[in-house]
Amino acid sequence: MANLSLRRARTIIRKAIEHGRANDMKPLSVIVLDEGGNVQAFEREDDAAPGRFQIAHGKAYGTVMLGMAGTAQMARAEAQAYFIAAANGAYGGNLIPVPGGVLVRDAKGRVLGAVGVTGDTSDNDAAAAKAGIEAVGLVAEI
Amino acid sequence: MANLSLRRARTIIRKAIEHGRANDMKPLSVIVLDEGGNVQAFEREDDAAPGRFQIAHGKAYGTVMLGMAGTAQMARAEAQAYFIAAANGAYGGNLIPVPGGVLVRDAKGRVLGAVGVTGDTSDNDAAAAKAGIEAVGLVAEI
Amino acid sequence: MANLSLRRARTIIRKAIEHGRANDMKPLSVIVLDEGGNVQAFEREDDAAPGRFQIAHGKAYGTVMLGMAGTAQMARAEAQAYFIAAANGAYGGNLIPVPGGVLVRDAKGRVLGAVGVTGDTSDNDAAAAKAGIEAVGLVAEI
Amino acid sequence: MANLSLRRARTIIRKAIEHGRANDMKPLSVIVLDEGGNVQAFEREDDAAPGRFQIAHGKAYGTVMLGMAGTAQMARAEAQAYFIAAANGAYGGNLIPVPGGVLVRDAKGRVLGAVGVTGDTSDNDAAAAKAGIEAVGLVAEI
């Protein structure tokens, strides 16, 4: 039962949003991508800015396509901005290289997909994603 | 309480999927866009093809941006293919002019957004969207 | 005093909208482009669909860039769909080849720009554009 | 009467332009987007450069889609250029992260849309937008 079913995706999103509410975060938007980088589920909380889908998607998309979570992407962008800019071009502009893009792994370390959260600070976004992922017994790489 | 809240969007998606299951449809993917054409919520059932987000999005996006549901778009495409092709260009290629893109109106006729369903036949997709919309007491224009 | 000033553009838009109201048309969106094909003014009436800018723009843009009004573009699309499709590609997808894109000429026949109207039937859209253009003493080529 | 009607959009644009003239600014271009990021009204003053629509649009579009006004976008771009560059990619290149993109809120703080002004210095552009927004009794977040 390794894959990231819709049932699990729903729970990840709900728990990430609950984490945001419990910690007084701003309204969150949460996406779950499967291991192929394709959209499985998404929710935007009321009062979030209308364009949050694109940001959540970009955080998760780069994460799963590069196999590199948001924190690592940001470190790479700080060290070598032209690499991340070039990768972004190669992915059609669909990459947001900051925390809040989180890899989802099973207990054996296999990547099952990625979660993208946006709305609060990047670090809080990542913490909300982690809370959601751990709620379904999977491993979050921030 | 006119707007299409996340609470309502969730119910629309669940009821559309339940309708699909109750009628032995193939796995469905369901999107809800707000009145500005921005993504509010999306779910893809297990075993649906990976690229279903883009199809569900295109059905709903053209519907809300043109204020014209999928059935009317298809009729226009049959009568005047170059118009729909051109409109698609104007919207960046984000328009899928077939049934399954359904306008959401309140009791007074005001457009609150659109639902896009894909996975089964276009007519079945539209019926599933309608079931979801009516489950929250709103009016579906197929 | 040949050019299409903002003062004239405003009057064209107001008179086109008044024409629509006087004739019980649906809510209109009206754009004025200058002789270079660049946006000078635009208004979308309340209750028009949100994506009407792109349609109004496409009608006017093809009109001024090709020097061919919407009716002539539509005739060409009927006769030779691949030409209009190819022109559309060359213009980045920004061409809507139906009536409602109207050339604006001065008394000597010089093109000053184009008006694009969308919201009602294509023929009514063109009539509204004509009413606006004639209200400032210029010549409309539908 | 919370929404940003065409009546209000017209007044915002006129008052922003009057503010520019009263303060000897260069010719201004002013756009109003609704809460979904869609174009509601636009005017470009005579003698403004022809491509001002795209700049005004980009200032307002990023503002409403991110829920973050131009000044805050510029601060983020100064601190973390790759984030703003990436967000721009996610929005199809339609983001101009400098002052002159101004959020429009009602008295309760709800976002009703955004105004984008371009033509003079970025700070003057923002002041003109603010003058227009306050003229209709709404709140400007610069």
Side-chain angles (χ1 to χ4, degrees), chain B residues 4-5 11 14 20 25 47 56 59 68 77 79-81 98 103 105:
Chain B
L4 205 48
S5 60
T11 304
R14 296 305 163 78
M25 294 184 188
D47 300 321
K59 288 187 180 189
M68 187 191 300
Q80 203 177 17
V98 295
L103 272 173
R105 294 186 190 271

Side-chain angles (χ1 to χ4, degrees), chain D residues 53-68:
Chain D
F53 174 83
Q54 289 87 335
I55 304 299
H57 181 265
K59 288 187 179 188
Y61 188 72
T63 293
V64 71
M65 292 304 270
L66 287 165
M68 186 191 299

Side-chain angles (χ1 to χ4, degrees), chain A residues 6 10 14 34 43 46, chain B residues 6 10 14 43-44 46:
Chain A
L6 175 56
R10 280 178 181 166
R14 296 305 162 79
D34 65 21
E43 287 187 1
D46 297 336
Chain B
L6 175 56
R10 281 178 180 164
R14 296 305 163 78
E43 287 187 2
R44 171 165 55 98
D46 296 339

Side-chain angles (χ1 to χ4, degrees), chain A residues 81-94:
Chain A
Y82 55 84
F83 171 75
I84 290 292
N88 213 343
Y91 293 127
N94 292 304

Side-chain angles (χ1 to χ4, degrees), chain B residues 54-63 65-66 68 73-74 76-77 80-98, chain C residues 51-59 84-85 88-89 91-98:
Chain B
Q54 289 89 333
I55 305 298
H57 180 265
K59 288 187 180 189
Y61 187 72
T63 293
M65 293 303 269
L66 287 165
M68 187 191 300
Q73 287 179 61
M74 187 171 71
R76 185 75 182 263
Q80 203 177 17
Y82 54 83
F83 172 76
I84 291 294
N88 210 348
Y91 293 128
N94 292 306
L95 188 154
I96 307 281
V98 295
Chain C
R52 289 288 165 183
F53 174 83
Q54 289 90 329
I55 304 299
H57 180 266
K59 288 187 179 189
I84 291 292
N88 212 344
Y91 293 127
N94 292 304
L95 188 155
I96 307 281
V98 294

Side-chain angles (χ1 to χ4, degrees), chain D residues 92-142:
Chain D
N94 292 306
L95 188 155
I96 307 281
V98 295
V102 178
L103 271 174
V104 181
R105 294 187 190 270
D106 65 14
K108 293 177 183 169
R110 196 168 75 94
V111 174
L112 303 188
V115 173
V117 177
T118 181
D120 207 275
T121 66
S122 290
D123 287 343
N124 280 347
D125 292 342
K130 185 169 184 284
I133 293 163
E134 293 179 348
V136 295
L138 294 170
V139 179
E141 181 179 326
I142 285 181

Side-chain angles (χ1 to χ4, degrees), chain A residues 5-6 8-11 13 30-34 38-43 53 114 116, chain B residues 30 41-44 53:
Chain A
S5 61
L6 175 56
R8 278 177 164 178
R10 280 178 181 166
T11 304
I13 289 174
V30 186
I31 199 169
V32 178
L33 301 187
D34 65 21
N38 297 296
V39 189
Q40 192 159 71
F42 171 77
E43 287 187 1
F53 174 83
Chain B
V30 186
F42 171 78
E43 287 187 2
R44 171 165 55 98
F53 174 82

